[in-house]
Amino acid sequence: MEMEGVENGWQKKWQFRGNEELNTASISVRGALTMLMKNLRNPAGDDQRPTIMLGRGDPTEFRSFWTTPAAVDAVADALHSFKFNSYCPTGGVIPARRYVLSVLARPGANILLPRPGYPQYEARAAFDHLEVRHFDLLPEKGWEVDLDSVESLADHNTAAMVIINPSNPCGNVFTSQHLKKIAETANKLGIFVISDEVYGHLAFGSNPFVPMGKFSSIVPVITLGSVSKAWIVPGWKLGWIVKNDPNGIFEKTGIVETLNNYLDITTDPATFIQGAIPQMFERTKDVFFSNIIGLLREAADLLYEMVKEIPCLTCPNKPQGSMVVLVKLNLSSLEDIDDDIQFCLKLAKEESVIVLPVLEDGFKRIKAFHQRHAKKL
């Protein structure tokens, strides 16, 4: 596309412009938080209460959620070994690849994403000019996938469907029976499943976490994993892609070849972080994970009960995993608030409440906020 501008008094045509499709689609968690932070009350005013974050999956500022010393030692040892200062070879450093087999699915004409879901997928699809179609998650069924909507959306150009388990943002964990039904539906449609399991170690409810790879004999599965959530180190930026494909379908369809070509042009996580993976996996004690899960379960229980005290909010299902939960906003009970974005902006401005870990005081402020904006009956 060409754009015209004035340079030294004459018209000049510029042959570039921003990606408007990406700008429209790129509604990220960071972008939303930035917008809300800009809307905080005037810190010089009378209200000197600290800002409470009620919506960010990064609890690292709280000591109880610090990562295990075993992970820190592993990174330090990798650095001191002087073995991981070089460029990263394609696909990752060899010691790390012994623990995670990385493969990447090719983009197709369209892809099926969950609604509600993680907004980064839409942004990534827009960047790749990949059409997105949304299937529903059903709150009345514990946020299960609406498999009928999946079948109605898919066509001969559909490549894959994405599931997030445990879910961000719903907080549910799929049962093994439902995962099998997802696999059977995908098999029927001739598509593969991309299973985002970055919260796989953080299931704390009645449904145990079951990896989608268990059903890879029914349908090929690409699993996304990360140390960010399980070890509480989101800043380390290390994740992986695992192929679950005992029938060799990805090989036959050229997915593996495409991956090898793609890896040659992608950036890699820091080599010393990759080099720390074996030691992290071997030396992290189970008690670290159980302590984190215990804290999350306690926080989820508290959140679920406190939401009940705020008439404009409803939590359809008690959280069972991840670090997030989705609540329903009843706009009909509020005055001068038209949508969820306006609710969040006003809440930030009036109560300085934005995100998650400090639950009790935060929900007290939301309750006061509701009372101030409640419709007069």
Side-chain angles (χ1 to χ4, degrees):
M1 302 293 292
E2 294 184 349
M3 295 189 68
E4 293 188 355
V6 178
E7 181 177 303
N8 298 326
W10 54 280
Q11 293 290 326
K12 182 177 181 65
K13 291 184 177 181
W14 297 103
Q15 298 185 164
F16 55 85
R17 65 167 56 196
N19 185 337
E20 295 179 2
E21 185 177 350
L22 178 60
N23 293 340
T24 301
S26 185
I27 304 173
S28 66
V29 174
R30 290 180 182 178
L33 290 178
T34 299
M35 176 183 67
L36 293 173
M37 290 297 290
K38 290 179 179 178
N39 208 58
L40 287 172
R41 72 187 191 291
N42 182 359
D46 295 333
D47 189 351
Q48 297 297 315
R49 293 176 297 175
T51 299
I52 292 178
M53 307 295 280
L54 278 175
R56 177 185 58 191
D58 179 5
T60 53
E61 65 185 276
F62 300 96
R63 189 180 182 92
S64 57
F65 282 96
W66 282 5
T67 192
T68 171
V72 178
D73 291 342
V75 173
D77 290 348
L79 280 170
H80 287 301
S81 73
F82 291 92
K83 296 179 180 178
F84 304 103
N85 294 331
S86 62
Y87 285 116
C88 182
T90 296
V93 299
I94 299 302
R97 289 172 63 186
R98 294 193 184 116
Y99 284 80
V100 289
L101 172 60
S102 295
V103 293
L104 184 68
R106 66 170 178 85
N110 69 66
I111 190 168
L112 308 183
L113 299 182
R115 180 175 54 200
Y118 184 55
Q120 198 69 17
Y121 284 109
E122 279 83 356
R124 183 69 225 185
F127 185 81
D128 289 333
H129 302 286
L130 186 62
E131 180 191 351
V132 167
R133 300 177 182 180
H134 292 96
F135 59 85
D136 292 324
L137 303 180
L138 305 173
E140 67 275 14
K141 293 186 177 181
W143 298 112
E144 287 187 349
V145 173
D146 183 348
L147 296 175
D148 290 336
S149 72
V150 170
E151 292 198 35
S152 66
L153 289 168
D155 61 19
H156 65 282
N157 288 321
T158 304
M161 65 179 291
V162 173
I163 63 171
I164 306 173
N165 184 42
S167 174
N168 177 1
C170 300
N172 64 292
V173 178
F174 292 133
T175 64
S176 180
Q177 295 86 346
H178 187 60
L179 290 172
K180 184 178 181 181
K181 290 180 180 178
I182 292 173
E184 291 169 343
T185 300
N187 175 282
K188 177 182 177 181
L189 298 172
I191 63 177
F192 68 92
V193 177
I194 300 173
S195 185
D196 182 337
E197 300 177 3
V198 298
Y199 287 104
H201 281 78
L202 301 180
F204 46 79
S206 57
N207 293 341
F209 168 71
V210 177
M212 188 67 196
K214 177 181 178 181
F215 305 99
S216 59
S217 62
I218 301 174
V219 65
V221 176
I222 293 290
T223 299
L224 310 183
S226 171
V227 302
S228 298
K229 306 303 182 183
W231 273 266
I232 321 294
V233 286
W236 290 11
K237 299 297 182 184
L238 179 63
W240 51 81
I241 304 168
V242 178
K243 176 185 69 171
N244 304 276
D245 183 25
N247 299 318
I249 298 172
F250 286 136
E251 292 277 358
K252 297 171 185 175
T253 54
I255 294 294
V256 174
E257 181 181 2
T258 301
L259 167 65
N260 290 333
N261 292 330
Y262 184 83
L263 289 176
D264 285 336
I265 60 173
T266 59
T267 57
D268 304 291
T271 51
F272 64 88
I273 298 293
Q274 295 185 56
I277 288 292
Q279 187 172 320
M280 284 176 59
F281 280 33
E282 291 169 359
R283 298 187 183 180
T284 299
K285 306 298 183 182
D286 289 342
V287 67
F288 167 74
F289 299 114
S290 62
N291 286 342
I292 294 297
I293 289 173
L295 290 169
L296 291 174
R297 182 184 296 113
E298 181 180 351
D301 290 343
L302 178 61
L303 178 147
Y304 188 68
E305 293 303 318
M306 297 198 75
V307 165
K308 295 178 181 179
E309 301 178 11
I310 305 173
C312 65
L313 298 181
T314 304
C315 186
N317 298 280
K318 191 173 183 179
Q320 299 222 4
S322 78
M323 296 180 179
V324 289
V325 63
L326 196 67
V327 297
K328 181 179 180 180
L329 175 61
N330 181 12
L331 292 171
S332 64
S333 69
L334 301 172
E335 291 181 338
D336 65 19
I337 295 178
D338 299 323
D339 55 37
D340 55 346
I341 294 179
Q342 191 176 33
F343 175 88
C344 292
L345 289 171
K346 283 181 175 286
L347 184 64
K349 187 173 184 179
E350 297 181 24
E351 296 291 342
S352 296
V353 174
I354 297 182
V355 200
L356 183 62
V358 187
L359 290 171
E360 188 167 1
D361 192 24
F363 274 92
K364 286 179 180 178
R365 293 194 204 175
I366 297 177
K367 188 174 182 180
F369 178 82
H370 166 81
Q371 293 171 348
R372 187 159 56 250
H373 291 275
K375 286 186 176 179
K376 307 299 187 291
L377 300 178

